């Protein structure tokens, strides 16, 4: 049986964070000299930590290694003792000394070992269970004896000198002669009574490469209709595209942005949702015909930030600030802010305001016509305007404002371009989302996703509905997230792929704190301060090594193969549209996907009973 590596070794030259020369030497060394029973995980996601290598054997144990390409001829290092306090790593270069303690590899692997034992391996026995875990450091370009002597004090302080077979430190000598026992003494062990298949699976789900990271190395695939829309323009330059959830609207928009950049065009992409911008940027990078630096050379802004930029650039920041003093924020966004920007553009003139060859708007159902009108003013003559939308996901109650007359006045003519086939959703999840839409959403706003006729629906999809009392809702949500992180359903699921969605920040932060009390780190956007929450949204991206958590509003347009979704409150039409949006965020995966809904709504109780797995607490 061939060795399991994550990511596969054929992908090593395509990693977003390329291997250093030393890391490549170490990988080749392990791949050559370790038996094939040992898995190799390269730069694994580990609850926010990113060790260089983790090795895993279901019969023997676990090993974590930090690799340092340090040149000891260029910089002088020493360990500085400080009484009973932790010894500090000090570097000297050009006569200047400075602390390198944050990069002390002994401290790094010590932390890895502690977290592996306490968090990821709950089945290990106390004390003796530590013998299953090796924590080593490798210096591919340094002498073995030199690095062993240099870090002796650090190893001694952490009690690691007592058990050198579990805490090896090695250099180029051992690597050059293929001495695997010096680099990793426990590699020759055939069996450990403390290791088990269950422990192996516990850890594998923390280590395996997330779906997002793997997808980022693959070019996006467009069907014939999507490709035509992404590579062409209408005679007028105005195009509107609508489609159901998962039909590729965002793929087309991002691909079109990349195409236009390649033609030397100045491009602006606008959304209402701040977090959606990261998703679109990640797609644009993957477009096979992308030329130029799509992340930096395309302007990516949410509508509010674009308006604020105009106000700042043209010297109207006082007027901008005054908008928010007495009026309700929603009224400012809907009416006053676009009116102010419209006036500024008229007063400033064409030569002062930044204009674009193309303006592309995603999730257009979230926009008011007045927003579109003011964006049109910064589009160059004979430029291009693109609007994509799905009225079924009308969570802000704005889609109804786009009447036929308004559409004509917005520059559109002729019918919508339609994307009918949903590629994102697993077949059974698509059926349940369609059933939900037919039961609860306005008939004239429904755009039911349609499956690919060639799709056999063979991927495993775990759908689970849990009805709870709101007094225990946060406990059940955290338990359901932990269930995914411990049982590994499906077994190839990376913990970093798990996403928690709810409809309020107040509830979300309670779940995050419960997970935090168990040592599980979460990337979230639930800060109670509005300004800080916006900063969190800007930094929210699926490539982070932690469990993800955000509101249903902020996740609109995104996707994940493993979701726990919570919703409560009065189910008006906005809330029902929001829940539908959440149900359609599930992404199909060849190795399986899973969606759990935790609900307190009696109104949804009967519908929940139709799901393959239903529980009532």
């Amino acid at each position: 049986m061939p060795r399991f590596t994550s990511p596969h070794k054929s992908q090593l030259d395509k990693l977003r964070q390329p291997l250093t020369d030393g890391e490549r030497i170490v990988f080749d060394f392990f791949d050559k000299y370790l038996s094939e029973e040992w898995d190799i995980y390269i730069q694994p996601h580990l609850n926010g930590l990113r060790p260089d290598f983790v090795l895993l054997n279901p019969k023997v144990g676990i090993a974590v290694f930090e690799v340092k390409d340090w040149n000891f001829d260029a910089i002088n290092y020493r360990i500085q003792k400080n009484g009973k306090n932790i010894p500090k790593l000090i570097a000297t270069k050009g006569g200047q000394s400075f602390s390198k303690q944050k990069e002390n590899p002994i401290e790094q692997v010590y932390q890895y070992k502690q977290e592996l034992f306490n968090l990821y391996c709950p089945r290990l026995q106390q004390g003796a269970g530590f013998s299953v875990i090796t924590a080593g450091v490798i210096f591919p370009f340094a002498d073995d004896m030199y690095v062993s002597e240099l870090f002796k004090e650090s190893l001694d302080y952490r009690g690691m000198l007592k058990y050198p077979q579990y805490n090896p430190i090695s250099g180029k000598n051992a690597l050059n002669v293929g001495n695997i026992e010096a680099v990793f003494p426990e590699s020759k062990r055939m069996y450990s009574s403390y290791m088990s298949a269950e422990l192996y699976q516990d850890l594998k789900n923390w280590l395996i490469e997330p779906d997002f990271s793997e997808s980022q190395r693959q070019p996006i695939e467009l069907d014939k209709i999507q490709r035509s829309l992404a590579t062409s323009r209408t005679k007028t330059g105005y195009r509107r595209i609508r489609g159901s959830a998962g039909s590729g609207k965002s793929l087309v928009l991002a691909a079109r942005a990349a195409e236009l950049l390649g033609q030397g065009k100045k491009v602006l992409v606008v959304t209402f949702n701040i977090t959606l911008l990261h998703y679109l940027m990640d797609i644009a990078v993957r477009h096979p015909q992308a030329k130029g630096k799509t992340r930096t050379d395309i302007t990516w802004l949410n509508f509010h930030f674009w308006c604020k930029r105009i106000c700042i650039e043209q010297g109207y920041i006082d007027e901008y600030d005054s908008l928010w003093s007495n009026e309700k924020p929603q009224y400012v966004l809907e009416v006053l802010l676009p009116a102010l920007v419209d006036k500024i553009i008229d007063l400033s003139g064409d030569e002062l305001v930044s204009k674009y060859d193309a303006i592309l708007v995603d999730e257009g159902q979230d926009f008011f016509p007045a927003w579109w009108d003011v964006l049109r003013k910064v589009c160059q003559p004979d430029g291009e305007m693109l609007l994509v939308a799905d009225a079924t996901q009308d969570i802000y109650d704005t889609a109804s404002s786009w009447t036929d007359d308004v559409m004509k006045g917005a520059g559109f003519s002729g019918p919508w371009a339609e994307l009918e086939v949903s590629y994102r959703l697993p077949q059974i999840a698509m059926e349940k989302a369609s059933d939900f839409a037919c039961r609860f959403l306005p008939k004239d706003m429904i755009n039911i996703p349609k499956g690919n006729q060639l799709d056999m629906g063979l991927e495993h999809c775990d759908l689970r509905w849990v009805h709870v009392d709101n007094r225990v809702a946060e406990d059940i949500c955290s338990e359901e997230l932990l269930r995914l992180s411990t049982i590994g359903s499906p077994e190839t699921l990376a913990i970093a792929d798990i996403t928690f969605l709810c409809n309020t920040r107040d509830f979300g932060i309670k779940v995050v704190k419960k997970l935090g009390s168990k040592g599980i780190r979460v990337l979230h956007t639930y800060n109670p301060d509005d300004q800080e929450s916006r900063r969190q949204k800007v930094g929210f991206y699926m490539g982070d090594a932690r469990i993800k958590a955000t509101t249903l509003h902020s996740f609109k347009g995104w996707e994940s193969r493993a979701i726990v979704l919570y919703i409560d409150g009065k189910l008006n039409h906005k809330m029902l549209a929001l829940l539908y949006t959440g149900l359609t965020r599930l992404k199909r995966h060849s190795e399986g996907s899973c969606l759990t809904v935790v609900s307190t709504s009696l109104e949804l109780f009967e519908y929940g009973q139709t799901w393959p797995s239903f529980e009532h607490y």
Side-chain angles (χ1 to χ4, degrees), residues 407-442:
M407 279 289 184
K408 292 177 182 177
F412 297 109
S413 60
W416 287 80
E418 300 273 0
L419 295 175
E420 297 184 342
V421 178
S422 177
Y423 295 98
R424 176 197 300 143
L425 290 164
Q427 183 64 35
I428 187 171
M430 185 186 306
E431 293 170 359
K432 290 303 173 188
S434 299
D435 183 23
F436 180 90
C438 292
R439 289 180 185 232
F440 300 108
L441 299 182

Side-chain angles (χ1 to χ4, degrees), residues 43-177:
Q43 299 172 354
H45 289 60
L46 198 61
N47 199 30
L49 303 176
R50 295 295 296 272
D52 293 318
F53 294 97
V54 173
L55 313 176
L56 186 59
N57 187 318
K59 297 179 181 179
V60 180
I62 310 151
V64 57
F65 283 90
E66 191 68 20
V67 179
K68 298 296 184 185
D69 289 26
W70 292 357
N71 182 350
F72 290 99
D73 293 329
I75 300 178
N76 178 261
Y77 292 87
R78 71 180 191 277
I79 296 294
Q80 179 177 290
K81 295 185 65 175
N82 187 18
K84 293 184 179 180
N85 296 324
I86 185 171
K88 299 289 181 66
L89 178 64
I90 305 297
T92 302
K93 183 178 183 181
Q96 298 292 320
S97 295
F98 45 94
S99 174
K100 295 282 284 186
Q101 182 61 17
K102 285 187 177 180
E103 299 174 41
N104 188 330
I106 306 304
E107 293 301 312
Q108 289 176 312
V109 296
Y110 177 78
Q111 181 185 15
Y112 298 156
K113 188 165 187 172
Q114 296 300 315
E115 292 211 13
L116 282 169
F117 183 84
N118 293 309
L119 177 59
Y120 315 110
C121 306
R123 305 175 203 266
L124 279 177
Q125 296 182 24
Q126 289 293 327
F130 269 109
S131 65
V132 170
I133 307 173
T134 290
V137 182
I138 305 173
F139 293 87
F141 306 110
D143 180 78
D144 296 53
M145 292 298 293
Y146 175 82
V147 293
S148 295
E149 187 64 27
L150 174 63
F151 290 99
K152 185 176 181 180
E153 294 289 350
S154 295
L155 289 164
D156 185 48
Y157 179 82
R158 290 302 185 185
M160 299 166 78
L161 279 180
K162 296 179 182 177
Y163 308 101
Q165 70 273 33
Y166 302 129
N167 305 288
I169 182 168
S170 58
K172 62 182 180 181
N173 310 72
L175 293 175
N176 289 342
V177 299

